[in-house]
Amino acid sequence: MGQPAASRGRAATPTLGKAMLNKYARAFFTRVLTPFAAFLIRRGVSPDTVTLLGTAGVIAGALVFYPRGEFFWGTIVITLFVFSDLVDGNMARQLGRTSRWGAFLDSTLDRVADGAIFGGFALWYAGNGDDNVLCAVSIFCLASGQVVSYTKARGESIGLPVAVNGLVERAERLVISLVAAGLAGLHTFGVPGIQVLLPVALWIVAVGSLVTLIQRVVTVRRESAEAEAAAAQESPESQESPASPKSPPSPESQGHEAQGSEAAK
């Protein structure tokens, strides 16, 4: 998951690994993990394989531990697999690969990992957590996160810049949720009252995601109106410009046209 733009052939987007590690920590761990990445390359392991395994680890941490209320250990497992964000990118750089497929796989599996994390929260509150409101909030966080990502991708696909980041993007959603979940898990070790952090975090993510979604929709609407207005201004100008007179085709050109039409058949 989350391989760098230079090596994976896509625009830079916040990933789980990048969100949880600042640039200095990333530089340190990149140096530490470079020999391991080189070892995997020698063993014939591809960056895409590491991406798949990293996502599988996040899914396991979220859907095995979180529904049972083991938030501390689930967050530890997810955090360990965060390092796949650095390993697969390191491997891609060493191999000198730029891959549209890798970019597509990376972005797709990011959405899967996000869904597993918030799905794990929802399963806990639907079961032993016994809180239908927080279950609904978790589901809203899951759905709104997917839609927030979709709005930017869809806007860009129709030629709009979508020049807005928003209040709570993927990086913020994951850091807030995972840090709160890990700390809330300390309740099982006897730390009193700390379990309240997860509900607070989920409400923050839900409200922030809603605000971000509104920001992006408003931005796309404004940019779309501006683009259509610009196109409408250019259209009359092109209609008013006098058409250049056409000279009658020469016999030679008519002969070439006839040959071309016969060839096209």
Side-chain angles (χ1 to χ4, degrees):
M1 295 188 313
Q3 295 164 12
S7 58
R8 302 296 282 167
R10 70 183 177 99
T13 56
T15 65
L16 183 53
K18 292 178 182 179
M20 297 184 69
L21 299 172
N22 62 38
K23 64 179 182 179
Y24 301 108
R26 284 205 308 274
F28 170 75
F29 283 109
T30 297
R31 289 194 297 270
V32 171
L33 294 173
T34 293
F36 179 62
F39 169 77
L40 293 178
I41 292 172
R42 291 194 300 270
R43 302 295 296 179
V45 180
S46 69
D48 288 345
T49 300
V50 175
T51 301
L52 288 166
L53 291 175
T55 303
V58 172
I59 293 172
L63 297 183
V64 172
F65 293 94
Y66 283 177
R68 297 187 296 181
E70 298 178 4
F71 296 117
F72 177 79
W73 293 114
T75 303
I76 291 295
V77 171
I78 291 172
T79 303
L80 289 175
F81 280 96
V82 162
F83 288 102
S84 68
D85 279 0
L86 303 178
V87 175
D88 58 10
N90 194 308
M91 293 171 66
R93 284 195 300 273
Q94 291 188 44
L95 292 169
R97 290 181 180 175
T98 299
S99 169
R100 289 185 176 89
W101 160 249
F104 170 81
L105 180 67
D106 186 33
S107 298
T108 301
L109 293 184
D110 282 348
R111 307 285 84 75
V112 174
D114 294 357
I117 291 170
F118 289 103
F121 295 145
L123 288 172
W124 162 251
Y125 287 116
N128 293 334
D130 193 22
D131 193 320
N132 289 336
V133 173
L134 287 176
C135 176
V137 172
S138 300
I139 294 173
F140 179 82
C141 290
L142 190 162
S144 61
Q146 307 295 323
V147 176
V148 164
S149 298
Y150 174 79
T151 53
K152 188 172 183 65
R154 187 70 180 99
E156 291 175 344
S157 73
I158 59 176
L160 300 175
V162 194
V164 61
N165 290 326
L167 181 64
V168 175
E169 295 189 295
R170 182 173 187 258
E172 289 80 13
R173 289 196 304 271
L174 293 174
V175 169
I176 293 170
S177 302
L178 292 176
V179 170
L183 292 175
L186 295 176
H187 175 70
T188 59
F189 296 95
V191 179
I194 201 167
Q195 67 271 23
V196 73
L197 289 178
L198 182 55
V200 171
L202 290 174
W203 277 108
I204 291 173
V205 171
V207 173
S209 296
L210 178 60
V211 172
T212 303
L213 177 59
I214 293 172
Q215 287 176 308
R216 289 191 174 179
V217 170
V218 170
T219 299
V220 169
R221 180 178 175 82
R222 174 178 53 79
E223 291 176 349
S224 176
E226 291 173 353
E228 291 172 0
Q233 289 178 356
E234 293 176 359
S235 180
E237 294 177 359
S238 61
Q239 292 177 0
E240 292 173 2
S241 60
S244 58
K246 295 183 179 179
S247 58
S250 64
E252 182 180 356
S253 64
Q254 290 179 337
H256 286 307
E257 291 175 0
Q259 293 175 7
S261 62
E262 289 298 327
K265 294 179 181 178

